[in-house]
């Protein structure tokens, strides 16, 4: 009922010592020739797995919906996802305490989701930078990361902390 295309490239480079320079680029497109794209198949961008420094799934097209069932309340944005996504990540990972596999990371992310009526544009990419700690623990890889939106919009937090168990990109 729809066509979903996703392209991703990842590059890892060791510039010196135990440092690792990582680059990720993701391009996505979903299309339904007969009509609407189900919301669960749309692209939602933002968060630790794509554009850090923003709340999870907060970037991209949104519509205004009532805050509650009371008609007197105002409207709030509801993210409906996009049919296109463009994401770039660059990070430098470095050792902190090698004996316990504790590493640090600094990163720069850029990305967004775009609706059917929007063209993908580098000017519309949301950007962030940040730092984090990664530990390959006995229970698996742990990530603690602080992201800072470089041009926060009204209502966005100036710093977003996220934690996850699992690999980076």
């Amino acid at each position: 009922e729809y066509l979903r295309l996703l392209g991703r490239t990842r590059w890892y480079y060791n510039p010196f010592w135990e440092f690792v320079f990582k680059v990720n680029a993701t391009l996505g497109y979903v299309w339904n020739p007969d009509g609407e794209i189900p919301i669960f198949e749309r692209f939602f961008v933002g968060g630790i797995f794509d554009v850090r420094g923003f709340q999870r799934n907060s970037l991209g097209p949104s519509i205004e919906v009532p805050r509650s069932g009371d008609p007197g309340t105002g409207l709030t944005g509801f993210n409906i996802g996009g049919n296109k996504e463009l994401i770039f990540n660059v990070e430098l990972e470095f050792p902190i305490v090698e004996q316990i596999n504790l590493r640090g990371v600094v990163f720069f992310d850029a990305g967004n989701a775009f609706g059917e009526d929007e063209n993908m544009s580098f000017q519309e990419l949301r950007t962030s930078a940040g730092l984090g700690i990664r530990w390959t623990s006995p229970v698996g890889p742990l990530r603690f990361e602080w992201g800072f939106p470089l041009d926060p919009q009204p209502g966005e937090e100036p710093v977003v902390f996220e934690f996850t168990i699992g690999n980076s990109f």
Side-chain angles (χ1 to χ4, degrees):
E1 297 191 22
Y2 57 89
L3 177 65
R4 183 182 183 94
L5 302 171
L6 188 64
R8 182 175 291 137
T9 184
R10 294 176 175 165
W11 296 81
Y12 301 85
Y13 177 70
N14 174 239
F16 50 89
W17 300 314
E18 295 294 321
F19 284 55
V20 180
F21 181 70
K22 303 176 183 182
V23 177
N24 175 68
T26 304
L27 175 66
Y29 181 75
V30 62
W31 174 64
N32 181 351
D34 298 323
E36 293 294 314
I37 300 162
I39 194 161
F40 55 86
E41 290 299 335
R42 298 177 73 80
F43 294 109
F44 292 88
V45 177
I48 197 166
F49 298 111
D50 42 50
V51 183
R52 297 162 282 194
F54 298 94
Q55 292 297 327
R56 186 174 176 154
N57 301 336
S58 65
L59 301 179
S62 63
I63 59 173
E64 296 291 314
V65 297
R67 286 193 184 123
S68 70
D70 180 1
T73 63
L75 299 175
T76 186
F78 177 76
N79 192 331
I80 59 169
N83 75 318
K84 300 174 280 291
E85 74 173 354
L86 184 59
I87 300 166
F88 299 99
N89 312 98
V90 177
E91 61 182 45
L92 181 65
E93 191 175 292
F94 52 90
I96 296 176
V97 181
E98 291 186 53
Q99 294 82 357
I100 61 169
N101 294 320
L102 187 66
R103 299 180 65 80
V105 64
V106 293
F107 62 83
F108 173 81
D109 294 343
N112 211 342
F114 302 90
E116 289 84 352
D117 58 341
E118 298 176 292
N119 292 321
M120 281 194 283
S121 164
F122 289 109
Q123 289 78 22
E124 296 299 318
L125 296 181
R126 302 298 308 281
T127 57
S128 66
L131 53 98
I133 298 171
R134 298 189 177 158
W135 178 37
T136 306
S137 75
V139 297
L142 303 178
R143 294 173 57 193
F144 306 88
E145 297 183 3
W146 292 264
F148 305 89
L150 296 181
D151 184 20
Q153 302 299 312
E156 291 179 339
E157 297 177 30
V159 61
V160 175
F161 169 75
E162 295 182 286
F163 162 77
T164 188
I165 299 175
N167 293 327
S168 60
F169 59 87

